Every structure is written in C-alpha cells, then in structure tokens.
Amino acid sequence: MDSLLKKYGYAPDEEAIGKRLDAIAANIDNVTTPEILRQCMSIMDLTTLRTEDTPTSVAKLVGKVNSFKEDYPEYPLPASVCVFSNLASVVKENLSDNSVHVTAVSGCFPTSQSFIEVKVKECEMAVEAGADEIDIVLALNSFMAGDFAQARAEIKAMREAIKTTASKLGREVVLKVILETGLLVTPERIAEASFLAMEEGADFIKTSTGKVSVNATPMAAFVMCECIKAFYAKTGRKVGFKAAGGISTAKDAVGYYSIVKTLLGTEWLDKSLFRFGVSRLANSLMSAIEGKTVVYF
C-alpha cells in the first residue's frame, strides 16, 4: 500500500503537521466571526442517528428545519438532514425546501460488517427512498487485514449500485466514504484509506461514524485534506471533506474550517466540498452568534 503514498507523492510529517495545527489553534479566536459561524451552519449535515429514532422524532426535526428561516431569517439552512436509511423517506416526505438534501447512512453503518449483497441492497433502497447523499463506511474488516482489493471492491459495488439506481430515477446521488480514522490511528493508514476511497469514486471522504471512542481529530482532518490536495493535483478531480463525530462547539467548527481553508483554499469552503456531520453543533453556533444560549434543534 506504500505505492499509494508514492503514487501521489505524499508522506505525512507528524511533527510538521503538529506545528501547523498549533498555529491554527492559536489563531482561532482571531478568525471567529459571525459570518464564518453562519457559513459553518450552511455546511452542516444536521444528524440524528440514535437507536430510539422514530418516524415521529425525525419528522419533528425536519419540521424545525422547515420553520428555521421563518424564525431566524438571517441564518442559512443546513446542507442536509442525515438519518438512518429506513428513515430517509420520512425526511424526503416532510422537507419543504429541496435545497436541503436528504442524507442516509447506509451499507450497514456504522460497522460495515455484513455481506456485500446486503450493503448494496441497503444503498439501493436508500436512494429509492429519496436519499440525495449516501454515507457508507470503509470495510475496515478487509482494509485492516491487508485485503485492499476487497475494500476497494466493496466501495465500487456500492458506488455503482447508487449510480445505477439514481440514474433510473433521473437523479444524481453523492457518495461519502467514512474512513473511521480513530481506528486507523496512524497518519499513514489514514492517508492510504483516503487515497483508496477517492480512487474508487468517493465524492467526499469523511472522518468518522461518531460511534467509536475516537472520532474526528484535527490531525486526521489535516492528513485527509493534504491527501485531497495531492489527489486533486494528480487527477484534477475535487473531492470533498466531511468532519464528523464529537464536533459540538463553535471553536471545534472554526478549527476544522481553518484547516480546510489553509490546505484547500476558499473554493472548498462550500457545501459542495465541505461538510460537518453534527447533532449538537447548530445550537452552539447560534449561541455563539447571539451571545446567549440558544436551543432550537
């Protein structure tokens, strides 16, 4: 797998990355403005992935999105509402603004531990239920065992199933591949997984499921963004970045925003190429902007 890093001319330098992250962290307060906090809101995948989610609870969340512009006209809507695949139809049927996408976690999220046929079928059904975006998990059972061909094949199978199903419906669907960077641990493995996923057609690479002990970290984000930059330089294809898991404060959001801006530039600071997967962040951003506690979502 070293060949992937060599192919893209990338070798993560932990010490250098640490210094750059320290500089970004030291400057957070200086770059935190209401404008940037609102921009962070516009790239959120507003997420509910609880065992106790029901059609009623999801419809209630969507109702809050529907009324948000009326209650807070100066704020942007989130990029999407993210739910389990079986609840995608609830979001689709209740959303009143089609600029907000329906995101479904599929492919046997969060472990990706099942038969590939089951994963493919879930992706197809999620698209049929109305998902505009599908988040799947890299098959770590194959990747961490060194079976990179199987890890590739699974992404490819799900990507092709999503594309075929969406095409039949006259639509296009975005594919995000979750690397679960907290389990990959090293910068080298995170980089290998990033390049593998991008080569197999990921439209976004995403840090985490939010369901393991270590989720999004600045180090993982930095490595992934460096890989996106190297991949773009070699292929000309722009791949998006999604940070998810444990991002709950305005400071967290601005930190990741700063990493993306520093490495990828302002053209990546848009929902077409940058997302947060969040359940608590919206209220934190609004509270920071308003200067008081806001509990809306």
Side-chain angles (χ1 to χ4, degrees), residues 71-92:
D71 296 332
Y72 289 91
E74 70 278 18
Y75 283 78
L77 287 166
S80 83
V81 177
C82 179
V83 296
F84 288 114
S85 292
N86 57 305
L87 293 166
S89 61
V90 177
V91 181
K92 187 69 174 179

Side-chain angles (χ1 to χ4, degrees), residues 61 75 85 101 113 131 140 154 220 233 248 262 274:
L61 176 63
Y75 283 78
S85 292
H101 281 187
Q113 291 279 16
L140 291 184
E154 293 207 7
S248 60
T262 298
F274 181 23

Side-chain angles (χ1 to χ4, degrees), residues 4-208:
L4 266 182
L5 301 191
K6 290 178 182 177
K7 180 177 180 179
Y8 292 96
Y10 179 66
D13 183 335
E14 255 186 288
E15 184 177 351
I17 292 171
K19 289 179 180 178
R20 293 188 71 182
L21 287 173
D22 287 344
I24 288 171
N27 196 45
I28 291 293
D29 291 339
N30 296 326
V31 298
T32 301
T33 65
E35 180 185 5
I36 287 178
L37 295 175
R38 286 189 177 89
Q39 194 167 358
C40 287
M41 288 199 69
S42 74
I43 59 177
M44 293 187 308
D45 289 346
L46 190 63
T47 302
T48 181
L49 296 172
R50 302 175 302 170
T51 302
E52 66 270 27
D53 283 343
T54 65
T56 300
S57 68
V58 170
K60 183 178 179 180
L61 176 63
V62 175
K64 290 181 178 180
V65 174
N66 291 340
S67 61
F68 187 58
K69 290 296 287 184
E70 183 179 340
D71 296 332
Y72 289 91
E74 70 278 18
Y75 283 78
L77 287 166
S80 83
V81 177
C82 179
V83 296
F84 288 114
S85 292
N86 57 305
L87 293 166
S89 61
V90 177
V91 181
K92 187 69 174 179
E93 291 163 8
N94 286 277
L95 264 178
S96 61
D97 191 323
N98 60 14
S99 71
V100 180
H101 281 187
V102 180
T103 297
V105 293
S106 298
C108 298
F109 175 96
T111 65
S112 195
Q113 291 279 16
S114 190
F115 304 103
I116 184 56
E117 294 85 355
V118 176
K119 300 178 191 181
V120 165
K121 188 62 178 177
E122 186 183 4
C123 289
E124 291 173 347
M125 293 177 73
V127 174
E128 291 168 348
D132 303 297
E133 306 182 5
I134 299 287
D135 291 18
I136 64 171
V137 183
L138 172 70
L140 291 184
N141 54 354
S142 298
F143 184 85
M144 297 183 79
D147 190 350
F148 307 122
Q150 180 61 27
R152 285 182 179 276
E154 293 207 7
I155 295 173
K156 182 178 180 180
M158 286 184 272
R159 174 178 56 79
E160 291 183 348
I162 290 164
K163 185 176 181 180
T164 299
T165 306
S167 180
K168 289 177 181 177
L169 297 169
R171 296 163 45 211
E172 292 185 359
V173 172
V174 170
L175 173 64
K176 308 192 198 89
V177 178
I178 305 166
L179 308 183
E180 203 67 289
T181 54
L183 299 181
L184 296 176
V185 181
T186 69
E188 289 76 16
R189 269 196 163 172
I190 292 168
E192 290 165 354
S194 297
F195 288 127
L196 185 150
M198 289 189 287
E199 285 194 340
E200 293 308 321
D203 297 305
F204 280 74
I205 51 175
K206 175 179 170 183
T207 58
S208 324

Side-chain angles (χ1 to χ4, degrees), residues 3-9 195 199 227-237:
S3 61
L4 266 182
L5 301 191
K6 290 178 182 177
K7 180 177 180 179
Y8 292 96
F195 288 127
E199 285 194 340
C227 290
I228 289 169
K229 184 176 182 178
F231 185 80
Y232 175 57
K234 190 168 185 67
T235 69
R237 187 167 78 86

